[in-house]
Amino acid sequence: MAGLELNRLRKSYGAVEVIKGVDLSIMDGEFVVFVGPSGCGKSTLLRMIAGLEEITGGELKIGSLVVNEVEPRDRGIAMVFQSYALYPHMTVYDNVGFGLKLARAPKEERDRKIRDAARILQMEHLLDRKPSQLSGGQRQRVAIGRAIVRQPEVFLFDEPLSNLDAALRVDMRMELAKLHQDLGATMIYVTHDQVEAMTLADKIVVLNAGIVQQVGSPIELYQRPANLFVAGFIGSPKMNLLSGSVTAVDGDAVTISGKDMANVQLSADAEAFKVGDMVTLGIRPQRLHLSGSGALVGQVVLVERLGNETNVSVSLPSGANFLAVLDGDHVLQPGQVVTFDFATSDAVVFDVDGIARYAQA
Amino acid sequence: MAGLELNRLRKSYGAVEVIKGVDLSIMDGEFVVFVGPSGCGKSTLLRMIAGLEEITGGELKIGSLVVNEVEPRDRGIAMVFQSYALYPHMTVYDNVGFGLKLARAPKEERDRKIRDAARILQMEHLLDRKPSQLSGGQRQRVAIGRAIVRQPEVFLFDEPLSNLDAALRVDMRMELAKLHQDLGATMIYVTHDQVEAMTLADKIVVLNAGIVQQVGSPIELYQRPANLFVAGFIGSPKMNLLSGSVTAVDGDAVTISGKDMANVQLSADAEAFKVGDMVTLGIRPQRLHLSGSGALVGQVVLVERLGNETNVSVSLPSGANFLAVLDGDHVLQPGQVVTFDFATSDAVVFDVDGIARYAQA
Amino acid sequence: MSVTTADSAGALQTTVRKKPIQARYPGWFILPAAVIYSVLFLAPTVSSLYFSLTRWTLFDSVFIGFENFAQFFREPFLVQGLINTVIYAVVTSGMKVVIGMAFAVLLTSNIVARGYLRSVVFFPVLVSTVGVGITFTVLMHPTQGMINETLALFGIKGPGWLTNPSLALYSVALVDVWKGVGLATVIYIAGLVAIPRDYYEAARIDGATPWQNFWYVTLPLSRPATATVIILSFIGGLRTFDLIWAMTKGGPGFASDTVASVIYKQYQAGFYGLSTAGNVVLFVLIAVLVIPLTMILNRRRGHE
Amino acid sequence: QQTTLSLFSPNDQAAVAYTEAMIEAFEAANPDINVEIEVGPGGTERDNMVKSRLATGTMNDVFVYNAGSLFQAINPVQTTVDLTNEPYMADILNSFKQTVTANDGTLRGVPYGQAMGGGVLYNKKIYEELGLSVPMTWDEFMANSAKIQEAGYAPVIQTFGDTWTSQLFILADYFNVQAKNPQFAEMYTRGEAKYANTPAAMAGFQKQADVFNAGYLNEDFGAATLNDGLRMLADGEGAHYPMLTFAVGTIAQDYPELVGDVGFFALPGDDASLNGTTVWMPTALYISANTPNMEAAKKLVEFVASKEGGCDPWVEINAITGPFLIQGCELPADVNPAVADLQTYFTANGRTAPALEFLSPVKGPSLENITVEVGSGIRTPEDAAALYDEDVKKQAQQLGLPGW
Amino acid sequence: MKKQLPLISGIAAITVSFFVFVIPFLFIIFMAFKDRRQAASRDFSWPEGFHLWENLVEVVTTRNWMMITAFVNSSILTVVSVTLLVVLAAMVGFVLARRDAKWNGPIEFLILAGLMIPPAVVPTIWLLQGLKLFGTLHGMILIEVAYNLPFSIILYRAFIATIPRELDEAAIIDGARPLDVFFRVILPLLWPVTVTNIVVQSVGIFNDFTNPLYYLPGANNATVQLTLYNFQSQFNTAYNLLFTNILLITIPPLLVFLFFNRQIVAGMTAGAVKG
Ligand SMILES: Nc1ncnc2c1ncn2[C@@H]1O[C@H](COP(=O)(O)OP(=O)(O)OP(=O)(O)O)[C@@H](O)[C@H]1O
Ligand SMILES: Nc1ncnc2c1ncn2[C@@H]1O[C@H](COP(=O)(O)OP(=O)(O)OP(=O)(O)O)[C@@H](O)[C@H]1O
Ligand SMILES: [Mg+2]
Ligand SMILES: [Mg+2]
């Protein structure tokens, strides 16, 4: 009933094409997260769904209706703007209650809902302030409040937690998850925070330069990125990527050699490769462990000790940089030579076009 | 020479006191990070240092001079605003170069610096755009660019990376660290991102409600939080806090019991406690591990599988919630009963006023 | 870096005294305007106040105390003039505010022929009052005027717009609106384009109909423009006489006289002291009406 | 060496045309003098301008301005140059000199144009058609009007679109006032005679009310303008138009073929034996006291006071609307009938009287508003006269005249 | 449906504007096309014959090409005065809007007073004479500036409040001095208001006649509105020429309006701040 269907959606600003044909279907009640690098078109896509940006090409359906030409107010949506867009002349209370007022909700109901939202957002003491008297994070919470007091079929959130501190982010994340559960509304959420994406999403959409790179559940994206871009983008710190070439193909296994490694045997879609192909090997920093013997040897460049884990930046023989995230606190000195090992099933092999080739199940 | 000295600094907006006597000394060339919950006064403090907010009380020194009454432009600072504050009528190029133009930098030098900054910020293709034609993250980068082209003695950054994607954040973080190293300028940095704080800071200042809670190196704050607030604030997810009472005091060890645990013996400053005192026990989620037998037993409420780690939310007998972050991927079912253990040295004991009491070294 | 330090240290010495916030908006910005305004406007105007206490032929003046004021208040049609003045000001400024806003909203939307419409609405502002006066006395001619001829087509006998004593003032006020609404419109347009689009977007998302959009967003956020238009047109309405003069000379008889036109008549008659006294009275009247109005309008200011 | 004189000229077209023609002749005669003309607004606006220029010493070298009471208001002793002893003054008619005599008895100006009569312009064709004769009394006038109305013409034209035209009933009636009360002007100036209590003076208001009450006015009298009135008169839509004779010039210009149909008679009073017209003196040319070019200015004034400068150019541009005030200037033979009619009053003895404004400085500024009211039936003549007396009182007080 | 709305409302607006605004305008044009005689009857009728050209020639050449002198004078007067006005008024408005000083109230009162009291002509002439500015174009320019300042200041003052203060702050941090802040940041962002000011004040000053009448005497100093007096007098008005003249002197301000009107566009401050 309030699922969404995006068909070859396009958007250009003059000659600049920003959204280049996005196909996507979102089910009713699904929690979808858009991620992608800065400027890839997340906000634009959200604004197109909201009806704030004219659609240059393609078709957008909400429920079973084509809404390309439908006014935002008739689309049954609420939205948190990346730039907040709070009404400067209204108090926080009025900002939050504005949508309800327009919908002619009874005064008591409105009041109750506003106060509920304020409690959830921990800003009950701010209700009488004007936006100009708020801190950045407080403004952002007002923007969230404005969306959540209403009960639309679709929620659109554009980086709603970016200016909140960690504790509040966690709280808010939980509240949004709860809201999603309680209302069963469809939610589309833009974030650049991987944890948010991973924990909230039923489905993550990875965008790059206006093109969808991969759509899937969080764990799918983390474990089986479709291509180099997704591999590099999902997971923080980034997946390490090493180039090499295929030296042997054998059943489900491919053997790869390169400047930084010798004859590493990995499981992959053997049919996609032949000996001599240039490939890229991907391995997540968290999947590496220090070991006496291993495939990768390098010199420590930088050590970041975070308490519960240690980030080690290593320079490989080819000069490439390599990052390992080790559990616990390790004392390592720059300049020290270290050896890392990993499980062959933890590595991903990308072909020359950057497409991941997993072993056939 | 460009260290800072804050002496009982105060700021009120009318009757609302926002900064309540901050004492702080920042050495020349230090990288100081302000953290604290949303609305605690970080931006205000930064703006006071910049000279944008009138100082209500106390004294502010930059170098050896009291600057309370000095014009911002004479303070030798550059700043990134939380709200960006880009000049809407200028292109990105002009926005970034505005400060240099005012300083009458030669045209070639200006051009070189602007292009350098653009390269660093990965926005060379955006130089001719107006701010309104940029995405949120791109605007934020312009704001950073505007600060870094200049070479002031003090940099003030107000959540400069909040709207960037993970990869870019890492890159920018590195660039800022590099800039810090290269220029040797003092940097004051507001962030709500723990990783940023931890990796960049020489010194972290934890603020709450306009009062400094603790000042120290990142690892100090993580490992030895001074009080419950810092303990709860630093580290993500939050440190778990359980209440109990002292049942025995013995040399360096204190024994604590409560609804959720029985006779846990911990190392703490024994002199601060006597039997019967109400205390709070703090233990970081990352310090817990599943075990056959252990001090804490609870029922799984929620499981978040992130790939390389698993967050488990557990409900304890008292009804309190408890979070554990386990390494690797664990398959746990909600409702399942689990037992956690931890090393006694990993726990922190807070007295009834919330002050941490560590065993005397 | 040592150079910069020396520099800023030098600057520090000189600026230590000033309050930073004030120094950002230095008082001398006002100075050039203040000098020109006080010397060429305020000084002569204030000095002319003396003449309100004299019988003044321009060639010589005789001090007569408050006799002029007494005389002014004895003007036979003063009360009616006062009532007319207020009616005229309220009608013209009210209509300019409302119609100007409506035009501005229309002319900032993406309506077709926007440029044409803007020009057409503004055109009357450009035409000299004399021309407007003649044009409308012709159009409002009771028998051959276009307006009444058109009404006659519908079988309505149009009134004597300018010759009917109870109608003349309103007819002139209508023409004043016709002539001045373009000005209000451009001020409003400037106000409307200054409203960031974000707010409209937020309101559209919040479910605002175009009318609600206008009422809750446009109207409050165009407050600077509204305040300006109200104040300017209200003061203008209280003071104008040129159009009244061009169209009815205050007539028929004294029916459309306002305080300003009474004063103007005195001036034209060479009663310089008396008309100066009249101006003082009018000034007080305007101030009494306008100062509270500005205070109300500026109470909550701008977007802050 | 070239001297440049600046002349502040009136702005109505005939006067400007005359000024240009006259200057051309003057410059031809005086190659070393160059005259620049500045035109300003007319009416009361002009009064203010002239006064403020004179008061601040910024007046042009020579300027044209009214004679009579307005002349007295410019403080002529200080602001203008004494011309009493100039030889050409001998050639100027006394009736004019009277109006440019400052209160110290000196003469300050020379005529700049022709005298005008104030009375009734009428359509001769209608009169011929209906066999009417020029009325010598008000009753005859009303009787004529009744017949005219029967014949389907508007008997009396009024044009309140130009409010000043409404005053003619009062102003042009002054001959009749003076005929009955020869002392009126003096007493009036002293505040002793009032319109409300002088029946002869009231009569003007009464006449205006009569024509309104009788329904003799053209339908659009409230909105019509002078131009409309002249057109109606020339066309024969209306028969009578109380007006000054200068208007014939406008008819001659706009409807040259109809100007022969327009005649003139004095606004009649009660007594056919005391019938005459009220006369307006032309404006005058003065030298500003602050002129640095005295000699050239005097030459110019002398020229204007001569037949070549003061009369011939008018004849040349064919704008004759009344008799000249310079001796030796004859009206050409082919003048318009209205002017010829006017001329007959001048040639007869005792059939002219100057308008009140040449005899008394007192004139209420609101007269035109009041006459519009009377002429539109808004106010009764009695009321109007009383109101006008108030208006006059205000003005006299402002002038600081004794007795008010 | 959505696309057609602007079209429908546009057509409606054009129709209404035709009756309300264009017809009176047509009257003026028709008058300018008529000959003297037809114009004298001042009715709304179709011109008999095309007399615009002869009217134009007569209007322009009258009084020794006075129209040309007047155009030159009025243009100089307008351009210089408006430039000064815009800059000075914006500076005052800027300081008044941004500063919360105690004496803002009295200053604003004095400014409003400028709109409420008519200037005193004769004392001003004395003053100008004392300053040796009487009858000079500079004097006239200063007068126009002084008389029109209140309007411009009020306009600017109201609108400066709509520019986020954070932009000032950013500029100050960038090292801008007050003049830099004003000229490089504030003034450009006030462009729509400046345009309004330019348009309104140029029209006002170009069409001003009372002030030049008193302060700028002399045939060589004529300004355009004074040319109207060539054809309009108390007793006798040549309406065809008067309206041709009106039409002619309306053209320059109209061009100014047409030029600047395009510059009033939305979104000047878009993208500046977040919040
Ligand atoms: N003009 C004002 N009037 C009253 N209170 C204000 C005003 N401006 C800010 N505050 C309050 O001051 C406090 C500190 O604000 P500040 O912007 O410094 O917070 P912050 O630490 O930067 O928060 P955030 O992380 O959300 O940006 C906030 O609680 C805010 O509500
Ligand atoms: N008016 C415009 N004209 C031209 N390009 C534009 C315009 N508005 C946005 N863009 C470009 O469109 C692209 C997509 O912008 P969008 O705001 O959707 O990015 P985003 O994915 O939300 O990025 P961020 O994470 O930084 O907010 C950006 O590269 C931006 O520069
Ligand atoms: Mg975005
Ligand atoms: Mg902040």
Side-chain angles (χ1 to χ4, degrees), chain A residues 28-312:
Chain A
D28 182 23
E30 210 169 10
F31 200 123
V32 177
V33 173
F34 289 175
V35 297
S38 174
C40 70
K42 305 180 293 294
S43 300
T44 307
L45 201 51
L46 222 54
R47 290 166 52 81
M48 286 163 81
I49 294 173
L52 297 174
E53 260 355 303
E54 201 106 29
I55 292 172
T56 317
E59 196 185 71
L60 172 69
K61 277 187 185 174
I62 299 183
S64 52
L65 255 122
V66 176
V67 295
N68 284 36
E69 305 277 275
V70 173
E71 273 292 292
R73 68 166 176 282
D74 300 324
R75 294 190 184 193
I77 46 164
M79 177 164 175
V80 174
F81 289 80
Q82 190 170 10
S83 64
Y84 317 153
L86 303 181
Y87 307 116
H89 56 295
M90 299 184 193
T91 60
V92 169
Y93 185 95
D94 292 335
N95 259 286
V96 173
F98 187 58
L100 296 174
K101 191 167 181 177
L102 295 181
R104 299 187 205 291
K107 211 174 148 66
E108 308 76 50
E109 182 193 331
R110 208 161 76 208
D111 188 68
R112 186 174 44 71
K113 285 191 176 173
I114 296 170
R115 293 192 188 281
D116 273 2
R119 193 177 33 68
I120 290 176
L121 298 165
Q122 303 175 21
M123 53 174 203
E124 284 158 297
H125 59 297
L126 301 175
L127 285 174
D128 293 330
R129 298 247 186 110
K130 292 277 179 72
S132 63
Q133 300 173 315
L134 299 178
S135 79
Q138 289 165 343
R139 287 180 201 180
Q140 193 162 35
R141 281 179 277 158
V142 178
I144 300 174
R146 201 163 55 176
I148 64 174
V149 288
R150 298 171 55 216
Q151 279 160 23
E153 296 174 11
V154 182
F155 280 99
L156 306 172
F157 293 108
D158 200 347
E159 311 200 4
L161 308 179
S162 62
N163 275 53
L164 304 182
D165 58 281
L168 208 49
R169 271 165 103 91
V170 175
D171 290 355
M172 294 301 127
R173 212 161 79 199
M174 301 254 180
E175 293 294 348
L176 292 181
K178 195 150 153 274
L179 190 77
H180 179 226
Q181 241 164 33
D182 293 353
L183 297 183
T186 310
M187 292 200 171
I188 306 179
Y189 191 104
V190 171
T191 184
H192 46 71
D193 180 324
Q194 304 251 341
V195 179
E196 250 165 68
M198 291 298 192
T199 52
L200 288 171
D202 293 326
K203 184 152 90 187
I204 293 182
V205 178
V206 182
L207 275 171
N208 188 29
I211 296 171
V212 173
Q213 300 292 323
Q214 188 172 2
V215 179
S217 73
I219 209 74
E220 220 170 298
L221 262 59
Y222 187 81
Q223 291 181 342
R224 296 172 68 88
N227 55 32
L228 272 177
F229 178 80
V230 177
F233 192 78
I234 297 283
S236 172
K238 282 216 293 228
M239 184 182 261
N240 291 302
L241 298 170
L242 301 170
S243 48
S245 59
V246 175
T247 50
V249 179
D250 166 29
D252 257 7
V254 181
T255 310
I256 293 169
S257 293
K259 273 197 184 144
D260 300 326
M261 58 200 156
N263 294 323
V264 189
Q265 208 184 26
L266 301 162
S267 63
D269 180 3
E271 289 180 16
F273 298 103
K274 56 182 199 298
V275 173
D277 277 1
M278 298 301 298
V279 294
T280 306
L281 173 74
I283 173 84
R284 299 222 173 261
Q286 294 88 345
R287 290 292 180 263
L288 291 166
H289 37 89
L290 284 173
S291 102
S293 72
L296 299 165
V297 181
Q299 222 179 5
V300 173
V301 176
L302 198 78
V303 182
E304 295 176 344
R305 293 167 62 200
L306 301 187
N308 61 325
E309 57 183 30
T310 308
N311 298 350
V312 188

Side-chain angles (χ1 to χ4, degrees), chain A residues 13-14 16-19 36-47 53 82 158-159 190 192 207, chain B residues 125-126 129 132-139 141 163-165:
Chain A
Y13 291 109
V16 189
E17 187 155 34
V18 170
I19 300 293
S38 174
C40 70
K42 305 180 293 294
S43 300
T44 307
L45 201 51
L46 222 54
R47 290 166 52 81
E53 260 355 303
Q82 190 170 10
D158 200 347
E159 311 200 4
V190 171
H192 46 71
L207 275 171
Chain B
H125 58 298
L126 302 175
R129 297 248 187 110
S132 61
Q133 301 172 314
L134 299 178
S135 79
Q138 288 165 343
R139 286 180 200 178
R141 280 179 277 160
N163 274 54
L164 303 183
D165 58 282

Side-chain angles (χ1 to χ4, degrees), chain C residues 17-70:
Chain C
R17 286 292 148 130
K18 278 189 236 159
K19 290 230 165 189
I21 307 289
Q22 298 288 310
R24 254 178 255 169
Y25 308 112
W28 67 260
F29 266 43
I30 296 186
L31 208 64
V35 168
I36 294 179
Y37 185 63
S38 339
V39 171
L40 290 174
F41 176 76
L42 286 181
T45 305
V46 171
S47 73
S48 82
L49 292 186
Y50 162 77
F51 292 107
S52 68
L53 304 175
T54 67
R55 193 158 52 227
W56 186 27
T57 64
L58 291 191
F59 301 99
D60 48 45
S61 59
V62 180
F63 187 84
I64 53 167
F66 286 94
E67 189 44 46
N68 281 326
F69 289 90

Side-chain angles (χ1 to χ4, degrees), chain A residues 136, chain B residues 43 82 158-159:
Chain B
S43 299
Q82 190 171 10
D158 201 346
E159 312 202 3

